[in-house]
């Protein structure tokens, strides 16, 4: 399964606040790119909202959003939405988002994809509909129910969560970065022992 995750920074830092609103934005290049943002809840929460307001009445691509919860070693689908323009401010037709009246404590992912790149199943490891397809630049792609030459901009928001992290690279890249950091730390320890 090949997914492209969009990175704002290679080593994103967590922003922490209780029941805060977190805002992130960036651009995607291809029709099968997936924007993934991690967030967490320290305790059970009410009125958690996650949404996009990037469609801008057709200026940018038509998004699909989903929320996934960490369950053991897997990410399980909590909810997926195509069109919801009533979740947060500044949304227009075909924007997307989810409202949770009750959401349990834990670690979550919020994904944004292009319509109609829906999740293939109830686990993130099952991927998305456009996985394996040759990437098509948004400027050249006639998105279903939209048009060609649409904007690449996305804007996403999370409200009522405790922490949120800027979108990260795909898991393989992130794992390699983690191994590199572990190697660097081990090298520093060896140097410290030799000194």
């Amino acid at each position: 399964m090949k997914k492209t995750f969009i990175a704002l920074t290679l080593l994103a830092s967590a922003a922490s606040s209780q029941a805060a609103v977190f805002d992130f934005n960036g651009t995607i290049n291809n029709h099968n790119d997936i924007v993934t943002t991690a967030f967490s809840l320290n305790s059970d929460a009410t009125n958690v909202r996650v949404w996009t307001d990037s469609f801008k009445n057709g200026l940018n691509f038509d998004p699909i959003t989903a929320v996934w919860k960490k369950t053991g070693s897997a990410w399980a689908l909590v909810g997926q939405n195509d069109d919801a323009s009533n979740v947060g401010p500044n949304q227009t037709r075909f924007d997307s988002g989810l409202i949770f009246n009750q959401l349990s404590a834990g670690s979550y992912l919020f994904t944004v994809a292009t319509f109609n790149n829906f999740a293939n199943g109830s686990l993130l490891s099952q991927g998305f509909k456009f996985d394996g397809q040759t990437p098509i630049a948004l400027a050249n792609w006639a998105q279903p129910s939209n048009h060609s030459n649409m904007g690449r901009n996305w804007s996403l928001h999370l409200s009522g969560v405790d922490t949120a992290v800027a979108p990260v690279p795909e898991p393989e890249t992130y794992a390699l970065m983690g191994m590199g950091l572990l190697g660097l730390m081990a090298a520093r320890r060896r140097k410290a022992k030799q000194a």
Side-chain angles (χ1 to χ4, degrees), residues 5-17 20-26 34-42 50 75 106-112 154 156-159 161-169 174 177:
F5 289 83
I6 307 304
L8 288 180
T9 60
L10 289 179
L11 295 173
S13 60
S16 181
S17 178
V21 175
F22 296 90
D23 304 300
F24 301 105
N25 57 60
I34 306 292
V35 178
T36 304
T37 302
F39 71 93
S40 65
L41 297 172
N42 297 332
V50 295
W75 292 98
S107 297
Y108 292 86
L109 295 176
F110 176 40
T111 58
V112 179
W154 56 263
L156 58 91
H157 313 276
L158 302 94
S159 173
V161 305
D162 292 304
T163 63
V165 179
V168 295
Y174 195 65
M177 287 170 31

Side-chain angles (χ1 to χ4, degrees), residues 17-168:
S17 178
Q18 191 165 14
V21 175
F22 296 90
D23 304 300
F24 301 105
N25 57 60
T27 58
I28 67 169
N29 294 315
N30 302 306
H31 82 299
N32 54 358
D33 288 344
I34 306 292
V35 178
T36 304
T37 302
F39 71 93
S40 65
L41 297 172
N42 297 332
S43 57
D44 294 355
T46 59
N47 196 27
V48 173
R49 295 178 298 129
V50 295
W51 72 95
T52 67
D53 63 1
S54 51
F55 182 63
K56 307 287 186 205
N57 281 324
L59 181 64
N60 295 303
F61 67 94
D62 179 2
I64 295 174
T65 56
V67 170
W68 311 81
K69 183 175 185 186
K70 183 76 165 175
T71 306
S73 62
W75 292 98
L77 184 64
V78 177
Q80 183 170 222
N81 177 265
D82 176 19
D83 296 328
S85 58
N86 61 344
V87 178
N90 302 317
Q91 289 186 297
T92 61
R93 184 177 182 214
F94 299 140
D95 270 314
S96 177
L98 296 151
I99 298 173
F100 299 98
N101 294 324
Q102 180 103 26
L103 204 57
S104 61
S107 297
Y108 292 86
L109 295 176
F110 176 40
T111 58
V112 179
T114 60
F115 179 81
N116 59 355
N117 193 12
F118 288 99
N120 283 332
S122 61
L123 297 175
L124 185 58
S125 60
Q126 294 172 296
F128 293 83
K129 180 179 177 180
F130 295 163
D131 288 351
Q133 292 184 5
T134 301
I136 303 169
L138 284 191
N140 302 324
W141 184 51
Q143 184 179 19
S145 301
N146 204 350
H147 53 83
S148 58
N149 197 27
M150 54 218 125
R152 302 179 305 128
N153 298 319
W154 56 263
S155 176
L156 58 91
H157 313 276
L158 302 94
S159 173
V161 305
D162 292 304
T163 63
V165 179
V168 295

